[in-house]
Amino acid sequence: MAYVEDTIAAIATAAGPGAVAIIRMSGPSAFDLAKRLCTAPGGGSPDLSESHRARLGRVRDASGRVVDDVLLLPMRGPRSYTGEDVVEIQCHGGTLVPRLILGCLLGAGAREARPGEFTLRAFLNGRMDLCQAEAVADVVAASSEPALEIARGQLEGRLSRELGELRDVLLDARALVEAHLDFPEDDLPAEAAGEIAGAVEGAAARMRDLLGGFERARLARDGARVVLVGKPNVGKSSLLNSLLGRDRALVSAEPGTTRDYLEEPMALGARGLRVLLVDTAGLREGSGAIERAGIERTLELAASGDVVVAVLDSSGPLGVEDVAALDTIRGAARAGTPCIVAMNKADLSAQPGSAGGFERALDGVLPPGGEVPRVPVSARTGLGVPELCSAIEGALAALDGRESIESRPLASRERHRAALRRALEALSGSSPDDDLEIVAQSLQGCVFELEGLLGEATSEEILDRVFEKFCIGK
Ligand SMILES: Nc1nc2c(ncn2[C@@H]2O[C@H](COP(=O)(O)OP(=O)(O)OP(=O)(O)O)[C@@H](O)[C@H]2O)c(=O)[nH]1
Ligand SMILES: [Mg+2]
């Protein structure tokens, strides 16, 4: 996505009914095009000489027909989003008016912007670094408050500052190393060696901190995967539907209904925590090839889930086939994944106390105490569903830990994690006793990764990958 210095235009607001739409234009001809497009209320072209001051204009198409009366907001570069001359045109909303105005601009010589191209220009013009550019997309995509908090922090430069500081510390250390490289016959003085080792250790600890916060940030950004597992016919799909509040998954009295897993997002609780509910194929022995493939997936999903919910049919006895489901949650629990037991079909256990036998049977296979919450629930009547939601929220809170996400720098994307891992690996590639050349190289390798993260040394391919996911007009 090379930077061509032309003038781009796009509708920046979502299509559809709306009071106002905004068309954004950026590039050297933005002001000229706006003036050519519009006439001022008193006649002549609108006066855009004062930056950041809104002006009225009447848009006419090529044949002179009035399209709309608009508000023009000129922003002279470099004091604009992209750093170039920008004009934003506010017109009536809906689908037609903005498209007609965009058509006029394209007809007059503007080029239709590609997804994320405004933000790409902002990045290329040094208005923001790559982490901040990514955060722009995350702010737009945020569907929960924690996700927004993280994106805002990154946009304000919290992650970038941390990465920049780390880079500076390592560059200083490298300068120290290089100063001694010129005198290979002398040993590195103990003081300098200590300083270098301290810088490396400190930087590594801070990078590990960033990686440590990654899971937290990923959960907030992408949502936690809550995986429902159990033997066939216990009501996993029914429970998914019941949690979602709509019939998403196929339900039937026939065991083995769900063959492939199914994933649905939902917002949980008052803060709208993003959750991906995953329904899976029922676990059992001796099934056909397709079902077995589904079961394999179930096991993988249970192993990689953030929360595992074992679903049991509490209206019947605890059977041998339940053991497989309980095994998966025992495995997950051992790996530190929070688990919940949903005792479904509670509507069929006629008397309130009648599940006692079932509970005692569970005591035999699950650790005693409150480690794994057990929630009686009925997907059919909705009984216990709010309690199950609370249990899932509780499990997510346990995942979150106590730390606030508000003030710490957080790495939230796979790109961040991969680069931080490579950066740490580069640092660990040498020890203070190594040849100074090797130490200098490993410091340089680490700095290279940090700069790549900030977008200071980045290939076009990486930029393409970052910006292709943006919406048009952003
Ligand atoms: N009485 C009662 N019946 C239920 C409840 N939940 C599910 N069922 C019934 O149990 C049967 C199986 O439900 P499903 O949701 O398809 O079960 P599943 O666990 O997804 O089954 P597989 O996809 O085959 O693994 C259906 O006939 C449901 O109507 C419940 O809470 N109470
Ligand atoms: Mg099912």
Side-chain angles (χ1 to χ4, degrees):
M1 213 192 261
Y3 189 10
V4 189
E5 253 188 71
D6 56 359
T7 299
I8 52 173
I11 301 169
T13 39
V20 177
I22 296 176
I23 294 135
R24 207 179 216 185
M25 201 171 24
S26 177
S29 321
F31 279 49
D32 274 355
L33 286 172
K35 282 199 242 172
R36 262 198 278 153
L37 180 78
C38 301
T39 44
S45 61
D47 173 16
L48 303 183
S49 56
E50 199 179 332
S51 186
H52 293 77
R53 170 152 184 184
R55 297 286 183 179
L56 283 170
R58 171 160 290 180
V59 178
R60 289 175 197 277
D61 64 14
S63 64
R65 198 168 40 137
V66 175
V67 178
D68 199 9
D69 288 319
V70 302
L71 209 52
L72 297 164
L73 185 58
M75 287 165 276
R76 269 281 177 221
R79 282 179 56 220
S80 69
Y81 182 67
T82 58
E84 305 174 323
D85 284 351
V86 168
V87 180
E88 286 186 2
I89 303 170
Q90 288 187 18
C91 62
H92 284 99
T95 14
L96 188 58
V97 173
R99 281 238 61 95
L100 287 174
I101 295 178
L102 179 65
C104 294
L105 291 173
L106 300 181
R111 170 171 66 75
E112 187 155 17
R114 288 185 287 262
E117 201 172 359
F118 291 90
T119 308
L120 173 70
R121 288 187 171 198
F123 163 71
L124 293 172
N125 285 320
R127 303 288 291 170
M128 55 178 75
D129 62 51
L130 200 52
C131 295
Q132 289 173 306
E134 289 170 324
V136 169
D138 289 347
V139 166
V140 175
S143 60
S144 71
E145 287 180 30
L148 181 59
E149 268 163 30
I150 293 172
R152 286 259 6 129
Q154 282 181 3
L155 188 58
E156 282 160 20
R158 221 176 276 153
L159 174 61
S160 311
R161 274 192 298 277
E162 177 72 0
L163 296 172
E165 278 176 36
L166 284 169
R167 175 199 51 198
D168 292 347
V169 165
L170 295 167
L171 280 177
D172 286 348
R174 199 193 64 181
L176 256 180
V177 172
E178 281 177 353
H180 290 89
L181 268 180
D182 298 334
F183 306 99
E185 63 281 5
D186 298 340
D187 275 347
L188 192 62
E191 198 186 321
E195 209 172 304
I196 293 163
V200 167
E201 269 161 38
R206 282 165 77 173
M207 286 190 276
R208 275 195 295 272
D209 263 359
L210 281 175
L211 281 171
F214 176 83
E215 276 302 314
R216 173 82 174 82
R218 180 190 64 82
L219 281 177
R221 210 181 86 91
D222 302 336
R225 287 162 77 92
V226 177
V227 186
L228 305 171
V229 297
K231 71 177 180 190
N233 235 23
V234 289
K236 300 177 293 299
S237 303
S238 307
L239 217 43
L240 174 111
N241 290 342
S242 182
L243 285 164
L244 289 175
R246 65 196 160 87
D247 281 342
R248 172 65 185 83
L250 212 60
V251 164
S252 91
E254 200 176 307
T257 307
T258 308
R259 297 293 186 86
D260 200 354
Y261 75 98
L262 186 155
E263 215 172 63
E264 276 295 303
M266 76 173 278
L268 199 72
R271 293 186 77 203
L273 291 178
R274 225 176 113 82
V275 160
L276 273 178
L277 274 184
V278 189
D279 181 21
T280 62
L283 298 166
R284 65 169 162 185
E285 299 281 331
S287 38
I290 299 177
E291 206 181 328
R292 264 206 311 280
I295 291 172
E296 278 300 308
R297 281 222 170 127
T298 301
L299 295 173
E300 281 164 26
L301 286 162
S304 67
D306 296 306
V307 176
V308 178
V309 180
V311 184
L312 304 173
D313 178 349
S314 66
S315 70
L318 199 62
V320 275
E321 282 178 322
D322 288 312
V323 173
L326 295 168
D327 272 348
T328 60
I329 68 164
R330 269 202 304 270
R334 264 199 302 276
T337 307
C339 299
I340 296 164
V341 173
M343 303 194 296
N344 193 34
K345 308 200 185 181
D347 55 298
L348 294 180
S349 359
Q351 270 95 44
S354 71
F358 191 83
E359 286 253 30
R360 274 193 299 281
L362 259 185
D363 285 340
V365 283
L366 281 178
E371 272 172 66
V372 178
R374 302 169 191 184
V375 187
V377 64
S378 165
R380 177 155 296 171
T381 65
L383 172 97
V385 172
E387 286 76 10
L388 182 58
C389 285
S390 308
I392 296 173
E393 268 191 88
L396 294 176
L399 278 180
D400 279 355
R402 302 279 156 265
E403 270 170 301
S404 151
I405 52 172
E406 263 155 44
S407 53
R408 54 189 282 216
L410 281 169
S412 57
R413 292 182 170 235
E414 203 42 61
R415 187 182 80 88
H416 304 158
R417 174 156 76 167
L420 282 167
R421 282 183 172 163
R422 287 195 304 268
L424 262 177
E425 205 172 300
L427 266 198
S428 64
S430 76
S431 82
D433 311 323
D434 273 332
D435 193 75
L436 285 186
E437 291 270 8
I438 295 176
V439 177
Q441 255 174 29
S442 88
L443 287 169
Q444 184 50 37
C446 185
V447 166
F448 174 79
E449 293 299 342
L450 296 174
E451 289 182 341
L453 258 179
L454 288 164
E456 285 167 17
T458 304
S459 69
E460 266 199 24
E461 190 198 331
I462 289 180
L463 292 185
D464 283 350
R465 223 176 303 147
V466 168
F467 287 99
E468 74 192 1
K469 298 198 188 77
F470 275 62
C471 33
I472 288 184
K474 190 74 239 178

